[in-house]
Amino acid sequence: MANNILQIGMFATKPNMSNKIRHAGVIEEVGADRIKVRILQTSACAACKVAGHCNASESKEKLIDVYGQEDSDYQVGEHVVVVASPEVGMRAVAWGFGIPFVLLVLTVFLMVRLTGNEGIAALSSLGALLPYYLVLYLLRDKLRERLSFGIERE
């Protein structure tokens, strides 16, 4: 492996020096236990030259809470970068979308098999999500520790 090139199957790529998820933002609020950062989340095509004339491109402002920065000297209005590892991103997607999707599909198939009524199956599958999201809400402090963001100065 010469010249820092990573060979994967037939494809050769240079290794990524920073494999973190990064979003530039501005600090909106500094509290005792958290910092609120406003980021601009854009779709992949938002940077296109004709994005202003296209309905497919979108961008949204989001407020991100960053915990664990108690002894920081960050100021409101300061430009920072919100950072998370890819593992945190994948975990968040799994907890927020993956597991509920599997729960929804399994409940539909199980209820159709048991009752034979698709309407009851659909309502039951939606009802099965209520306890799931209630448990997520009750465990939000533990999840916050596992799904945390960090910030860095630009």
Side-chain angles (χ1 to χ4, degrees):
M1 299 275 167
N3 298 331
N4 288 337
I5 294 181
L6 178 63
Q7 184 77 30
I8 302 174
M10 295 174 40
F11 304 100
T13 60
K14 290 193 176 193
N16 188 357
M17 299 307 283
S18 174
N19 60 352
K20 293 186 177 184
I21 300 167
R22 303 162 109 33
H23 286 284
V26 178
I27 295 178
E28 291 287 316
E29 180 183 320
V30 178
D33 64 337
R34 73 173 175 204
I35 297 173
K36 283 190 179 273
V37 180
R38 181 176 306 277
I39 65 168
L40 183 64
Q41 181 184 23
T42 58
S43 67
C45 59
C48 176
K49 291 179 183 176
V50 294
H53 306 288
C54 177
N55 292 333
S57 66
E58 64 179 54
S59 62
K60 299 177 190 173
E61 283 192 346
K62 303 273 185 176
L63 276 177
I64 305 293
D65 292 333
V66 180
Y67 294 89
Q69 304 286 331
E70 289 87 14
D71 297 330
S72 67
D73 59 345
Y74 291 103
Q75 304 295 322
V76 173
E78 186 174 350
H79 291 269
V80 294
V81 177
V82 177
V83 180
S85 69
E87 292 82 21
V88 167
M90 294 302 290
R91 220 177 284 139
V93 169
W95 283 102
F97 300 105
I99 295 171
F101 176 74
V102 170
L103 181 63
L104 192 81
V105 171
L106 287 176
T107 306
V108 165
F109 283 124
L110 180 66
M111 292 305 291
V112 165
R113 180 119 176 139
L114 291 175
T115 67
N117 187 327
E118 292 176 2
I120 291 174
L123 291 175
S124 298
S125 64
L126 291 175
L129 293 178
L130 293 175
Y132 174 77
Y133 283 116
L134 178 65
V135 169
L136 281 186
Y137 178 76
L138 294 174
L139 297 175
R140 67 187 177 277
D141 293 331
K142 289 187 184 240
L143 288 172
R144 183 180 301 143
E145 295 170 9
R146 300 204 50 179
L147 304 175
S148 62
F149 293 99
I151 56 175
E152 299 173 350
R153 287 192 162 83
E154 285 189 323

